[in-house]
Amino acid sequence: MTTEYERHIETLRERWDAALATAGYDAAVIAAGAPALHYQDDQHTVFRPNPDFLQWLPQDDCVNAFLLVQRDSRPRLFFPAARDYWHAPPEPPAWASCALHIDTFEDPEALRSALAAAVAASGRTVLCAQHDDSNLGCAAFNDSRVLHAVHYTRAVKTPFELSALREATRRAVAGHLAAREAFHSGQSEFAINLAYLAASGHTADELPYGNIVALNHHAALLHYQHLDRQPPAEHFSFLLDAGARVHGYAADVTRTWAAAGDGIRSEFRSLIEDFDKRQQRLTAAVQPGRSFTELHEAAHREVAGALIAFDLVRGDAQDIFDLGITRSFLPHGLGHLLGLQTHDIGGHLADRTGRQQPPPGVYPALRLTRVVEPGFVFTVEPGLYFIPMLLDELRASAHAHRVNWARVDAFRCCGGIRIEDNVVVTADGCDNVTRAAFAEAGDD
Ligand code: GLY
Ligand code: MN
Ligand code: MN
């Protein structure tokens, strides 16, 4: 039986063969890379393999491994496995041998000689790596014609990649449910994060990005990075943006909750419920052939609707949108491609030649501007925040009189809302992988 992994490798071979042929190469060497040393230290940074390598051999334990991709032949993995009593030696996963020719080397010099000999016998070869490694004898380094073409096609995920995404999402959801419970029992950001790690089965280093564990006004910092050891005096709200990784593929999930109680907590709960409906409406609008920039604009229209419905801003939704007032409440993009990287490469590529499609000037933070295609995986993550710096600017602007400042000020203690799901585009809409995993865990 052909495994999903074998079919995944077949697809990668087709993509790389086409990219190499167009640029006039017979082969590519893809380096996994190595971690950097901390300055004046013998300790390394956390290692993240070159994503172009990781897509072929989906495990982090691959320092200094290389893959030789030759047109029309089985990819060859050169894998170092030094004899070592300081660390457990790495091993390639046994299931990879169904699709790759694997040689392991105890001696790094023997690996390099074997690889250089294979390069010499491969014709015109391009090296794809973080650092130039000229001694391998490749004719070129990081030819952008090859890299743009493979990065452009990476937006469409294979069934193997979708299985990894679904599994990563299950783990993220288990973490979110445990974190929510820790929040409702009044714990600190630090303790909530520990609950997340235990339930999702991750060390902090394995996560796709540093968890954003934001109580109260901290949610107004989009990538809030601290973990307060002490619980706040009062809990108002909790924004958790936390993911998971399986075979290198990331889930990227955000939920926002209000603390139990009445007053502003109850009002914030209503705002979250309203915003959740709007987020689902945006997800339902995902269609192949639609530009993501258009969906992003639809998100701003939803923010305008929420601001008016909750008497935060006064006027007509169209005016509020046209005047750009929503940009003070939603300063990030609606979403981004998701895969081996949290913000997967290629979101601004107009085609496989590398032509760029930058975001409109008024939305500089928009990471995805492409026309949506079946098989794309991206996030849908609208937000509505009370960010002091942006509110100060709005207050000093000509539009200040449209804002109900007393009401905005009352919500500042809650920081803001983000609701982030991961979706797979289908032939006529999308599958919401995140909602499916919450439902599977008994939480809708
Ligand atoms: N977790 C980062 C983001 O949502 O883009
Ligand atoms: Mn995201
Ligand atoms: Mn996120």
Side-chain angles (χ1 to χ4, degrees):
M1 193 186 78
T2 318
T3 62
E4 275 188 344
Y5 177 67
E6 282 175 277
R7 290 199 297 275
H8 170 72
I9 295 296
E10 264 317 302
T11 302
L12 295 188
R13 285 180 59 180
E14 285 163 17
R15 292 176 183 176
W16 278 79
D17 281 3
L20 292 173
T22 305
Y25 294 102
D26 302 298
V29 169
I30 311 173
L37 278 173
H38 292 297
Y39 184 51
Q40 295 182 349
D41 201 337
D42 63 358
Q43 302 293 308
H44 294 101
T45 55
V46 174
F47 177 56
R48 278 297 153 87
N50 169 3
D52 292 327
F53 177 94
L54 190 60
Q55 197 175 17
W56 294 85
L57 188 79
Q59 71 165 27
D60 288 346
D61 210 4
C62 61
V63 172
N64 286 326
F66 292 86
L67 192 77
L68 176 64
V69 178
Q70 291 159 295
R71 282 166 53 197
D72 306 320
S73 66
R74 197 174 175 85
R76 293 178 61 184
L77 177 65
F78 295 75
F79 196 86
R83 282 159 57 80
D84 187 3
Y85 46 79
W86 292 95
H87 307 99
E91 276 180 50
W95 44 263
S97 62
C98 65
L100 308 178
H101 177 89
I102 300 176
D103 285 315
T104 57
F105 296 84
E106 287 186 359
D107 174 9
E109 284 312 312
L111 185 155
R112 293 187 68 82
S113 309
L115 179 56
V119 167
S122 291
R124 201 173 145 70
T125 303
V126 56
L127 171 67
C128 304
Q130 185 172 7
H131 302 291
D132 196 355
D133 199 343
S134 343
N135 292 340
L136 290 172
C138 295
F141 173 60
N142 283 351
D143 188 323
S144 59
R145 292 170 301 169
V146 173
L147 292 181
H148 284 319
V150 294
H151 293 164
Y152 183 76
T153 53
R154 200 160 103 194
V156 173
K157 284 358 190 219
T158 66
F160 173 81
E161 293 175 309
L162 295 179
S163 296
L165 169 72
R166 287 183 210 284
E167 189 50 34
T169 307
R170 280 185 204 105
R171 292 176 66 171
V173 164
H176 274 257
L177 296 177
R180 180 180 66 183
E181 205 174 307
F183 161 64
H184 284 307
S185 67
Q187 298 196 31
S188 67
E189 293 168 349
F190 185 79
I192 293 171
N193 191 52
L194 290 179
Y196 182 91
L197 293 175
S200 67
H202 281 73
T203 66
D205 287 347
E206 289 166 345
L207 292 171
Y209 56 91
N211 284 348
I212 300 165
V213 184
L215 291 174
N216 301 345
H217 63 283
H218 290 160
L221 290 155
L222 301 180
H223 285 174
Y224 171 69
Q225 73 278 36
H226 298 302
L227 293 167
D228 274 359
R229 267 45 173 187
Q230 294 301 320
E234 288 188 89
H235 283 70
F236 294 104
S237 67
F238 176 37
L239 183 153
L240 177 65
D241 184 344
R245 273 170 94 230
V246 168
H247 295 325
Y249 290 87
D252 178 9
V253 176
T254 309
R255 288 292 181 268
T256 311
W257 297 285
D262 49 20
I264 196 63
R265 293 174 177 84
S266 159
E267 298 222 43
F268 192 59
R269 194 171 315 113
S270 304
L271 185 57
I272 295 170
E273 281 165 15
D274 174 86
F275 206 69
D276 189 59
K277 292 196 188 88
R278 295 177 188 276
Q279 191 271 1
Q280 294 196 55
R281 205 149 53 213
L282 291 166
T283 308
V286 171
Q287 283 281 341
R290 277 196 89 171
S291 107
F292 196 81
T293 306
E294 199 183 304
L295 291 164
H296 173 79
E297 283 176 345
H300 275 271
R301 291 179 192 282
E302 291 290 0
V303 170
L307 291 172
I308 290 166
F310 283 77
D311 195 27
L312 290 155
V313 171
R314 289 175 178 160
D316 169 67
Q318 182 67 39
D319 279 352
I320 301 306
F321 171 81
D322 289 343
L323 293 169
I325 291 173
T326 54
R327 300 203 295 269
S328 302
F329 294 89
L330 171 56
H332 62 68
L334 174 64
H336 50 83
L337 293 172
L338 179 69
L340 291 162
Q341 296 162 303
T342 305
H343 301 149
D344 217 12
I345 205 162
H348 292 164
L349 288 176
D351 58 34
R352 63 189 66 219
T353 70
R355 199 160 53 81
Q356 295 289 311
Q357 195 165 240
V362 288
Y363 302 125
L366 181 59
R367 291 188 166 98
L368 178 54
T369 52
R370 289 171 65 169
V371 172
V372 169
E373 291 175 36
F376 274 25
V377 170
F378 52 76
T379 66
V380 178
E381 50 177 311
L384 193 169
Y385 309 89
F386 303 95
I387 301 174
M389 188 180 119
L390 300 183
L391 293 177
D392 287 349
E393 288 172 14
L394 182 59
R395 204 168 207 151
S397 79
H399 310 313
H401 64 284
R402 302 201 176 239
V403 178
N404 180 354
W405 289 105
R407 188 116 172 107
V408 165
D409 290 345
F411 276 106
R412 285 178 192 257
C413 62
C414 298
I417 301 173
R418 177 160 67 255
I419 299 171
E420 176 172 27
D421 289 341
N422 305 159
V423 305
V424 182
V425 181
T426 59
D428 56 359
C430 71
D431 274 350
N432 189 324
V433 171
T434 312
R435 300 261 171 186
F438 272 106
E440 195 182 296
D443 190 277
D444 291 291

